[in-house]
Amino acid sequence: MSVIDKSEVDSESQTADVPSSREAILDAAEHLMALHGYADTSISAICKASGLPVGSLYHHFGNKSGILEAVLERGNRRFYSGLDAMVEATARPEERMQQYFDHAPELLIGNAPYFRIMHSLLTSGDMGLLARLDEINAVVARRLAAVIEPVVREAGVADPAELALRLARLSAVYASGAMLAAGYIRERLVVEMAPLYGVVRTMIDSAASGARP
């Protein structure tokens, strides 16, 4: 991972501390990394696209890997905040889980640049990046497991937390593959994602049947 050369940062570029500068950098970086990949997105290109000097990038993120970290954190937060906002606050566990799966295709497409970056990092060969992806995927799995677990618990499964986490990981992998198979096209993604809820529900029912005496 490249680190910004501090020698490039002159006294005149130590600006851009306005509240919008950080988001402008992240918007530019997300767009470029989604198009070209992390490795082929340069600091200079991000500066040009954001209209901000290299000093601003260094001030906010420290280096290129810091920008990537912030892009991924923002994308993950944006995706789940969007899902939470689309789910009825008073929904019962089963309804809440189904709404998550129903709305997922729309939110996946709405956050396509973020997921394109995630997909490109999988083939980067950079062990540090792959380790970071594992951490992000673990967070994603835990968040989705928190939605699935109440349904699993109501079904009477012996170890609801374990099954919920397993189903969350399965769902995340399925969704990632569906995005690629659909070519990031919404209509195709809806079709690709359609079986997922039924698969999860069937696995819950199967586990519950096995737990009953």
Side-chain angles (χ1 to χ4, degrees):
M1 300 180 188
S2 63
V3 177
I4 298 174
D5 185 352
K6 292 186 181 181
S7 66
E8 298 179 23
V9 185
D10 56 41
S11 58
E12 294 182 357
S13 67
Q14 302 282 351
T15 58
D17 285 329
V18 295
S20 62
S21 63
R22 189 177 191 275
E23 290 302 305
I25 293 167
L26 292 178
D27 288 343
E30 183 178 67
H31 174 72
L32 292 172
M33 290 177 185
L35 282 178
H36 308 297
Y38 170 72
D40 292 329
T41 297
S42 67
I43 290 294
S44 61
I46 296 172
C47 289
K48 182 177 180 180
S50 66
L52 293 164
V54 70
S56 184
L57 274 72
Y58 183 82
H59 169 73
H60 287 296
F61 306 104
N63 54 37
K64 183 179 168 183
S65 63
I67 298 174
L68 174 65
E69 180 84 9
V71 165
L72 295 178
E73 288 180 357
R74 187 181 70 159
N76 189 24
R77 183 173 63 250
R78 183 177 59 213
F79 176 71
Y80 275 98
S81 294
L83 268 181
D84 288 338
M86 298 177 82
V87 172
E88 295 177 15
T90 58
R92 291 179 53 81
E94 176 79 23
E95 296 170 336
R96 181 175 175 80
M97 184 176 78
Q98 184 158 12
Q99 287 176 23
Y100 256 74
F101 282 89
D102 287 347
H103 292 306
E106 181 178 345
L107 269 295
L108 287 166
I109 292 299
N111 289 274
Y114 165 70
F115 289 103
R116 285 182 184 274
I117 295 170
M118 294 280 282
H119 289 145
S120 71
L121 293 178
L122 287 171
T123 59
S124 69
D126 186 312
M127 297 308 295
L129 291 178
L130 292 174
R132 181 61 185 126
L133 279 182
D134 285 343
E135 293 172 3
I136 292 172
N137 288 334
V139 171
V140 168
R142 287 196 297 271
R143 293 195 66 164
L144 184 53
V147 175
I148 297 173
E149 183 174 349
V151 180
V152 178
R153 191 177 300 278
E154 284 187 351
V157 174
D159 189 348
E162 188 277 334
L163 179 59
L165 186 57
R166 183 152 51 90
L167 292 175
R169 288 172 175 158
L170 169 69
S171 299
V173 172
Y174 186 108
S176 179
M179 284 278 280
L180 290 173
Y184 302 94
I185 298 171
R186 184 187 183 282
E187 291 74 17
R188 291 175 59 184
L189 181 61
V190 170
V191 173
E192 294 288 344
M193 290 284 289
L196 180 56
Y197 179 79
V199 170
V200 170
R201 181 70 257 190
T202 297
M203 292 181 70
I204 293 172
D205 292 340
S206 178
S209 297
R212 297 189 187 107

